[in-house]
Amino acid sequence: MTNLIVKDIFRTVQGEGFHTGSPALFLRFAGCSVKCEWCDTDWKNGKIFPVDELVTLVIEKLRELPEQRLIVTGGEPLDQKNLLEFFRQYANQIKNLMRPQAYPISMETSCSADSWIVRNDFFHKFLYMTTDPNLYLYITCSPKLSVRKSQIETDIAVASLISRSFNAEMKVVIDTDESLE
């Protein structure tokens, strides 16, 4: 069975970045390969959802409040082995709606080169899949400078590739003076 591990699904208003102030449905995944000590998310435990059930649930929640954005976050979304299947099924279901562009997705990721999707050579499939015109995908790349010092050049390269490939923004967390250097 194709599953995803979800920490939480909740409505809120996007509080940062380009879409600040937009109504949002947050889909927060459990699990994270980066493990920042200062992280504000309890990403360790979650509920297992079959992908098809999760897609149906998310679309039902989005239809209850039109014009809200789906924010896919974590933990680290790119650590979810079946994230590509989620995006594929989501795109297939929303293309049948009257206005699929009313259901955009924002994904917040550390762009870690150690994430499951990058490590297992699924990244090219991810980039290709996100060209689906029904996804309307916007990505926030947030490399963790102080946590991943030895790998930061690789993470920045992944973030740069993502930023050049689609609508994206960079979010840099400054948690130490070293992060400014």
Side-chain angles (χ1 to χ4, degrees), residues 67-83:
E67 304 304 324
Q68 67 183 331
R69 171 172 294 281
L70 173 62
I71 310 285
V72 175
T73 187
E76 173 52 64
L78 295 181
D79 281 337
Q80 294 289 323
K81 294 178 183 177
N82 295 310
L83 182 66

Side-chain angles (χ1 to χ4, degrees), residues 94-111:
I94 64 170
K95 73 181 174 189
N96 299 320
L97 300 176
M98 292 286 286
R99 296 181 24 210
Q101 68 273 17
Y103 300 93
I105 299 177
S106 290
M107 183 174 74
E108 299 176 355
T109 173
S110 69
C111 301

Side-chain angles (χ1 to χ4, degrees), residues 115-142:
S115 67
W116 189 89
I117 284 181
V118 176
R119 272 193 347 259
N120 288 283
D121 236 4
F122 276 78
F123 198 61
H124 64 286
K125 291 178 184 174
F126 172 73
L127 290 175
Y128 176 75
M129 176 171 287
T130 56
T131 62
D132 186 317
N134 293 306
L135 278 178
Y136 301 96
L137 185 64
Y138 186 91
I139 297 185
T140 299
C141 301
S142 182

Side-chain angles (χ1 to χ4, degrees), residues 4-8 28-32 41-48 74-75 80:
L4 291 165
I5 305 170
V6 175
K7 180 63 186 173
D8 204 3
R28 186 177 305 280
F29 287 114
C32 183
T41 301
D42 171 16
W43 43 262
K44 292 178 184 171
N45 302 305
K47 180 179 177 187
I48 296 173
Q80 294 289 323

Side-chain angles (χ1 to χ4, degrees), residues 125-175:
K125 291 178 184 174
F126 172 73
L127 290 175
Y128 176 75
M129 176 171 287
T130 56
T131 62
D132 186 317
N134 293 306
L135 278 178
Y136 301 96
L137 185 64
Y138 186 91
I139 297 185
T140 299
C141 301
S142 182
K144 307 304 184 230
L145 305 178
S146 66
V147 177
R148 296 184 43 82
K149 293 175 191 167
S150 62
Q151 302 95 345
I152 200 61
E153 287 184 18
T154 311
D155 291 357
I156 295 283
V158 171
S160 296
L161 179 60
I162 288 173
S163 319
R164 286 192 307 266
S165 300
F166 16 169
N167 295 323
E169 67 184 348
M170 294 288 283
K171 173 180 131 183
V172 179
V173 176
I174 306 296
D175 65 322

